[in-house]
Amino acid sequence: MTLEAVLASLHMLAILTLVVFLTSQAALCRSEWMSAAVVRRLARLDLIYGLAALALLLSGLARLVWGVKGLSWYVGQPLFHVKMTLFVIAVLLSLVPTFSFRRWRRTLDAGGELPAGPEVVRVRRFIMWQAHIIPVIAVVAIFWSRGW
Ligand code: HEM
């Protein structure tokens, strides 16, 4: 039971960290706020976001293996597959901001310009998609863990 509580705590800490850093990206990734400092901050926020996603994945895998219900119960539930599919979609969506922020920072470092307005809007859309999918994953997880 202690291990279960520790793994659940790690999973929750990773979720909260992920949400905080995704929210910060959503707040900063606007053409009105764009500046050299914001471009660098976005790249930094995205790095921490990626580490939180990794922690989320590892804590989730640990719960699958060592969780009280057992691996076969977890993966035998249809909602597990819904949850994993949504997680993979969120990870794929996150690649666009990650590569864009890095490109923006490289352009700045090379003496280039700030990203254009439409480009910022496009990348923001990918952030917002993730921000809408992650709460759905949490709700699916709640039903899944109760055997729906
Ligand atoms: C954005 C991604 C994720 C979110 C928002 C999320 C959310 C949650 C939530 C809210 C719970 C608690 C459910 C409850 O007990 O009421 C949970 C449990 C759990 N999650 Fe995740 N999760 C995510 C990713 C993952 C991944 C990638 C894995 C596995 C590879 C995973 C595996 C698990 C496991 C095994 C449990 C324990 C369920 C139980 O014992 O009842 N999660 N998750």
Side-chain angles (χ1 to χ4, degrees):
M1 266 304 157
T2 307
L3 178 64
E4 175 72 7
V6 169
L7 294 178
S9 305
L10 291 176
H11 204 53
M12 195 48 70
L13 286 173
I15 293 168
L16 292 173
T17 308
L18 185 94
V19 169
V20 164
F21 284 89
L22 183 64
T23 309
S24 311
Q25 289 183 28
L28 284 182
C29 190
R30 281 186 171 280
S31 45
E32 302 93 293
W33 314 145
M34 225 14 96
S35 68
V38 165
V39 167
R40 293 186 207 291
R41 177 57 58 188
L42 281 169
R44 172 54 66 107
L45 292 173
D46 191 58
L47 176 67
I48 303 172
Y49 178 69
L51 292 175
L54 183 63
L56 186 54
L57 175 64
L58 294 178
S59 61
L61 288 174
R63 293 191 79 182
L64 283 180
V65 176
W66 294 300
V68 280
K69 293 173 185 136
L71 182 62
S72 57
W73 187 92
Y74 288 128
V75 302
Q77 306 294 316
L79 284 183
F80 170 73
H81 302 280
V82 175
K83 181 178 173 178
M84 288 306 108
T85 304
L86 290 172
F87 183 71
V88 169
I89 291 172
V91 169
L92 292 176
L93 287 170
S94 78
L95 296 179
V96 173
T98 296
F99 288 125
S100 304
F101 296 154
R102 284 163 184 226
R103 197 179 57 250
W104 296 355
R105 192 177 51 186
R106 269 201 312 274
T107 306
L108 265 186
D109 288 345
E113 304 204 326
L114 291 172
E119 163 75 351
V120 176
V121 170
R122 186 183 74 87
V123 172
R124 182 183 167 75
R125 208 166 286 140
F126 283 87
I127 295 171
M128 294 313 289
W129 271 108
Q130 291 170 72
H132 285 79
I133 288 175
I134 288 167
V136 176
I137 299 178
V139 173
V140 169
I142 288 165
F143 280 86
W144 160 56
S145 78
R146 282 155 185 80
W148 275 65

